[in-house]
Every structure is written in structure tokens, then in C-alpha cells.
Amino acid sequence: MNNVRVRFAPSPTGPLHIGGVRTALFNYLFAKKYNGTFVLRIEDTDQTRYVANAEQYIIDSLNWLNIPFDEGPNKNEKFGPYRQSERKDIYKKYAEELIKKGKAYYCFDTAEELDAHRKDHEAKGKTFIYNWHNRAKLTNSVSLSKEEVEQRIANGDKYVVRFKMYEPENNDAETIEADDIIRGHVSFKKEILDDKILFKSDGMPTYHLANIVDDHLMEISHVIRGEEWLPSLPLHIALYEAFGWNAPEFAHLPLILKPVGKGKLSKRDGDKLGFPVFPLAYTNTEGEVSRGYKEDGYFSETVVNFLALLGWNPGTEQELFSLEELIQSFDLARVNKAGARFDPDKTKWFNQQYMQQKSNADLAVTFAESLKEKGISLEEKTIEKVVSLIKERATFVNDFWDLSSFFFEAPTEYDAKASRKQWKEDTPILMNELIAIIETIEDFNSVNIETIVKEWITSKEIGFGKIMQPFRLSLVGAMKGPHLFDIAELIGKEETISRIKKAINTL
């Protein structure tokens, strides 16, 4: 496939929802598979909903996920500018071109007039649609003379420009036909479609006009977007035809659905069930903070991997993919039509899998930062060893402290239930004997400690539990943690003896 150019075109109205992230990811994977170009375009025509920090948030999110854009704002601006608010003059020219061709027309109807028409239709049990059926009865350049139109524009009357979707009087085709890579052949009846606004009275284009003009001028070859844009496809196809341009290929992605119930995944679902729906944490203008996958402890690879499998089927049993493997395997033809249900537990599973793949050294660097915040500073090799002992039980690096605090701090309290069960009347005597044995061990490594202690237990002809359970309780404060003798080796002989003595004096 030659000269593949795709674009991700979000609106800067707030944080980037995980559904938008998946759209960006699928565009990225498709572009990279065919050595194409991934374009970021900021669609900020709706200035009333514009949020100042949203554009940078989008860029930061793509960079964190390692799916950066090739072209976009302030980067390889071959077809720039890439913010629609900076391209206003371009759109006006194309709106006027459609008017000259008779494919669009000026409309001067006021909001009050349109509201009156709606109410009149409702009273008659009908639905008001501004289209071929009634455009000649409304206040526009179809019903008005050329002189009247020119006079109204000269007077500064407010107007919008609408597209003529259907013209039966000119033997217009009754349907719009299109082929979607994911959904196959689709057909739309023109007679039930409205004449969409292309250009607004504030001098800004609507999404529809700006989208088509930009995709054409930026030489976009494939439009990969969410299925919520499928109802707009007939208008977009009709616009390409009206301009005499070749349309790109279209692919409409399925929705990401709620974990439970019906409908698409929303921030409310995340808040209710305790998971993020944004890649990075986001602070809105009121100072409210929304959770992000990064700050919740997810690896960027996790987010990319689970999003890729939401709606796309690789055709194999493989679930874990590197970014390079995703690029090689990705195929739009294997994207499902049906919505993909979001599974928060599965996302945690993915993170756990990536945790095991990470080197202990890399994880230790991250863990060391949180230890420093607690005033704990140790050699990297020691932290690495701790990580190696606990990471199999962890889902997030954020879990490390709860799983390993006893390596760094002696227990200040002991699990009550375990104490009652494991600490018997003769336990202090046995623990003092254990101290005497530990004091004799010169090479204090895990294997050596285990061998000597177990030989001693065997020689006493008592159950291992009578020693091992209170021993663990002394070192950890609870019946948890990795191999007991690994703990002893890491905290050292002196600390091991000190903790046993503390337990004897406390329990």
C-alpha cells in the first residue's frame, strides 16, 4: 500500500478519553505497518468548548504511550497549520466554492423562526428537518432572489451556509453508497437526510466542512475513526463528490462498551467502579483531578496492549504484544463491527504480565524513588533483590511498599489473629534457642540459614510450624511475604535477632 497518510483529529475540549486513545493507536499502527505518516490535527472549530491545556495533554498522552505523531502542531508542518482555528480563511473559500456550484446555499433563518417551524411540525405529529422538502419555503438563497441575498449580506444579517444534500428536481441519485473497510458496503437514503450547516455565522466552519477540506488538503488516504461518525459518512461522501475530489477510504471503529450494562464507556463508569478512563491524570479548570492510567501505576505498554485488543482480533491465541508485534499483526479487516466490552480486571492482568517482563533493575529504579519519599535510601542492588522477591505478587509498582515494607522497617505491631494462633506458651523459649542458633551462623545467606535452622528443628524432633510460623511473625509482623530465609538474609543477622527479641518482649 503506497503513501498511507492517516490522521487523529481530536477536539481540545478536555482530557483524551480512552476511546480516543484507541482511535489514535489504530491510526498509528496502520500508518506504521505501511510505512506511512501519522498526522495529529487539532479540531478546535468549536471555540465555546475550547480548553487551553487540552492540546498539550493530547500530545503528552501520545508521547507517554510511545505512539507520537509524525506531523502536527510544531512538528514537520508540511501541510500546516494543523489547528483548524488557524485555517479559517481556507474554509470560507471552499464554502463559497460550493455556493457557486449550487451545492450549498445561504440561510438567514433566525433561531426563533426555526423553533416556530419545529413546534408547528410537532403539533402535526411530524418532525422538522431542514432539507429538500422545505428549503424553498424557508428564508435562504433558494427562496430569496439574488438581489435580496446580496442586500441581506451587505446589511450584515447573520447567516449560515447549508449543504444541498438532495436535489430530486435535478434527478439526483436517491442513495449514497460507500464501502467501509470494517462494515462493508453501506447505503443511505438521501431523502431523509438534512441539509447540514457547513459554515457558521461566527466565521467558523462546522466540523463537517473543515474535516473534509483538511483531509483533502493534507492528502489523507484513510480515515479511521469511531462509529459515532458513521451517520456523518453520507454527508462527507457527498461533499467529496460536490468538490470533485477522490474520497479517502473509511473505517469506522466499534464502540468501547461499559464493563456492565449497556452503552459506551464513560468517566462515570470509571469513577463508579474504580478505574481510570484517561491515559494521564487531568486537572480541570475547577481544580478537579481525574485519574490517569500512568498515575495509577499502569505501564504504557499495558495500555497500548489492552486497547489494541478492544475491538481487534489478531486471529491467534496471543494476548501479549510488543508495539512492534502489533504493527506487524495489525489489520483493519480483523476489527470487529460489534462493540468491545471494557474489562478492568483484564487490564490489571495485562499490567501484571508486563510487570514480570520488566527487569528487576528497571523496577528498582522506580521503587527507589518512592522509598526516598519515605526517607529510605539503600543500595540499588538491595532494592533489586527485594523487587525480585515480591514482583510476582504485585500488579503495580505502587503495590511494592505493602508487599515489602518489612524489609525496610521492623514491624511495630503484630497480626492479632496470627499471634493468637502461632505464639504459644513455649514459643519464647524456642525463639531464644533460635537466636542462639542464628548467632552461630557465619555465612549469613538464605541457603545456609535454611539448612542450619532446619537441621536444628529436625534434631529437636518438633514440628517445623512451631518455629517457622513465629519466626515469620517476628520478622514480618504477619503471616505473609516471600521465602522466610530470603527475608532474613536481606535484613541481616543483627536485624533478624533484634526482631525476634522484640517479638519475645512484645507478644
Side-chain angles (χ1 to χ4, degrees):
M1 201 175 294
N2 296 323
N3 202 26
V4 166
R5 288 179 57 80
V6 298
R7 49 59 164 187
F8 175 51
S11 297
T13 55
L16 182 59
H17 186 274
I18 211 73
V21 176
R22 188 196 58 174
T23 299
L25 173 63
F26 282 16
N27 274 278
Y28 177 90
L29 296 176
F30 186 78
K32 296 307 162 187
K33 177 159 188 170
Y34 297 105
N35 297 313
T37 303
F38 175 45
V39 178
L40 174 67
R41 188 170 71 226
I42 302 299
E43 302 205 334
D44 56 350
T45 54
D46 188 350
Q47 291 290 295
T48 59
R49 297 176 62 222
Y50 175 79
V51 176
N53 64 350
E55 180 183 320
Q56 190 58 49
Y57 177 91
I58 292 163
I59 293 170
D60 291 343
S61 297
L62 297 179
N63 289 337
W64 176 64
L65 292 164
N66 296 310
I67 53 171
F69 59 93
D70 301 308
E71 262 177 46
N74 307 315
K75 186 178 181 181
N76 300 328
E77 295 209 9
K78 181 180 178 182
F79 293 94
Y82 290 84
R83 296 180 191 92
Q84 288 186 334
S85 59
E86 297 172 5
R87 299 168 65 84
K88 284 194 290 186
D89 294 344
I90 297 173
Y91 308 126
K92 188 171 188 200
K93 174 186 126 183
Y94 284 101
E96 289 170 350
E97 181 181 321
L98 289 175
I99 290 169
K100 286 176 186 174
K101 285 184 170 184
K103 299 292 185 180
Y105 58 103
Y106 296 105
C107 298
F108 302 95
D109 315 89
T110 65
E112 292 76 18
E113 287 171 341
L114 292 176
D115 190 49
H117 282 295
R118 286 191 191 94
K119 288 177 179 175
D120 179 59
H121 276 66
E122 286 170 8
K124 297 172 182 174
K126 299 178 181 179
T127 301
F128 174 71
I129 303 174
Y130 204 127
N131 64 2
W132 65 276
H133 186 70
N134 55 24
R135 68 170 75 106
K137 305 171 190 173
L138 299 165
T139 315
N140 52 51
S141 56
V142 175
S143 61
L144 300 173
S145 68
K146 183 181 177 184
E147 291 74 25
E148 286 177 301
V149 171
E150 289 174 350
Q151 188 60 54
R152 279 177 174 262
I153 293 173
N155 291 343
D157 288 8
K158 283 191 173 183
Y159 66 84
V160 296
V161 175
R162 288 183 184 268
F163 181 67
K164 282 185 183 175
M165 176 53 76
Y166 182 42
E167 298 179 88
E169 68 275 11
N170 292 336
N171 297 316
D172 199 2
E174 293 182 1
T175 60
I176 289 179
E177 312 286 326
D179 289 305
D180 186 279
I181 297 172
I182 296 169
R183 290 158 202 285
H185 189 75
V186 289
S187 178
F188 305 88
K189 287 186 177 180
K190 284 186 177 181
E191 64 176 354
I192 61 172
L193 300 174
D194 60 336
D195 289 356
K196 292 286 186 190
I197 296 173
L198 300 181
F199 207 78
K200 296 177 287 187
S201 57
D202 62 1
M204 289 294 279
T206 61
Y207 165 83
H208 302 292
L209 178 65
N211 174 279
I212 297 306
V213 169
D214 287 346
D215 282 349
H216 173 70
L217 296 180
M218 294 179 182
E219 299 179 6
I220 299 302
S221 63
H222 296 76
V223 172
I224 305 166
R225 60 189 181 187
E227 73 169 46
E228 62 268 26
W229 293 111
L230 195 58
S232 300
L233 183 59
L235 170 60
H236 295 173
I237 294 288
L239 279 167
Y240 277 106
E241 290 175 353
F243 281 119
W245 298 336
N246 291 326
E249 290 192 59
F250 289 92
H252 288 86
L253 307 175
L255 294 174
I256 298 178
L257 304 175
K258 299 169 180 283
V260 290
K262 296 180 179 179
K264 70 176 183 177
L265 180 70
S266 69
K267 178 180 180 297
R268 188 176 298 171
D269 298 311
D271 292 342
K272 185 178 177 182
L273 298 174
F275 61 86
V277 296
F278 304 128
L280 308 177
Y282 179 80
T283 305
N284 67 14
T285 50
E286 283 78 44
E288 296 170 336
V289 179
S290 296
R291 295 164 60 180
Y293 275 93
K294 179 184 179 184
E295 291 74 15
D296 266 24
Y298 287 86
F299 302 116
S300 60
E301 303 97 309
T302 297
V303 180
V304 165
N305 201 148
F306 82 69
L307 279 180
L309 294 175
L310 279 177
W312 170 70
N313 179 357
T316 66
E317 295 300 311
Q318 183 177 349
E319 289 191 283
L320 295 175
F321 290 83
S322 67
L323 186 58
E324 192 54 44
E325 286 174 326
L326 285 173
I327 290 167
Q328 294 305 317
S329 305
F330 188 72
D331 184 353
L332 281 172
R334 297 201 66 87
V335 174
N336 303 321
K337 295 178 188 177
R341 192 165 296 282
F342 183 84
D343 184 347
D345 292 331
K346 188 71 172 182
T347 64
K348 290 179 181 178
W349 177 84
F350 274 112
N351 210 63
Q352 199 168 36
Q353 300 308 304
Y354 277 103
M355 174 81 75
Q356 307 320 314
Q357 291 182 11
K358 296 278 185 184
S359 73
N360 296 332
D362 286 345
L363 293 171
V365 170
T366 306
F367 188 32
E369 292 173 7
S370 60
L371 288 175
K372 281 179 184 174
E373 292 174 7
K374 297 178 184 294
I376 298 168
S377 184
L378 292 169
E379 290 183 3
E380 279 185 25
K381 288 293 179 186
T382 303
I383 299 173
E384 261 184 64
K385 180 65 175 174
V386 171
V387 167
S388 73
L389 296 173
I390 62 169
K391 78 173 186 179
E392 284 188 8
R393 297 174 179 84
T395 301
F396 306 103
V397 174
N398 302 351
D399 298 334
F400 283 3
W401 176 253
D402 287 340
L403 291 168
S404 69
S405 59
F406 48 84
F407 282 108
F408 312 104
E409 295 176 344
T412 55
E413 53 187 35
Y414 302 87
D415 182 84
K417 185 179 178 181
S419 300
R420 285 194 301 272
K421 187 176 180 182
Q422 309 300 343
W423 203 269
K424 308 297 184 183
E425 195 174 326
D426 61 344
T427 299
I429 296 169
L430 293 171
M431 289 297 99
N432 274 313
E433 289 182 35
L434 176 61
I435 290 172
I437 295 298
I438 289 172
E439 284 176 335
T440 66
I441 302 172
E442 291 184 8
D443 187 2
F444 203 72
N445 66 69
S446 178
V447 174
N448 211 22
I449 305 165
E450 182 172 7
T451 301
I452 293 169
V453 169
K454 285 186 174 179
E455 284 176 355
W456 168 67
I457 296 172
T458 303
S459 72
K460 286 186 70 67
E461 296 183 348
I462 59 174
F464 276 83
K466 284 183 71 71
I467 299 297
M468 302 293 279
Q469 307 290 38
F471 187 10
R472 180 175 292 278
L473 190 61
S474 301
L475 299 192
V476 178
M479 305 313 293
K480 67 177 186 178
H483 189 54
L484 179 59
F485 299 101
D486 287 341
I487 299 173
E489 177 189 335
L490 260 169
I491 66 175
K493 184 195 285 191
E494 285 185 22
E495 180 65 14
T496 298
I497 292 170
S498 171
R499 291 190 186 187
I500 298 171
K501 286 180 177 177
K502 184 178 179 184
I504 293 169
N505 294 328
T506 304
L507 294 167

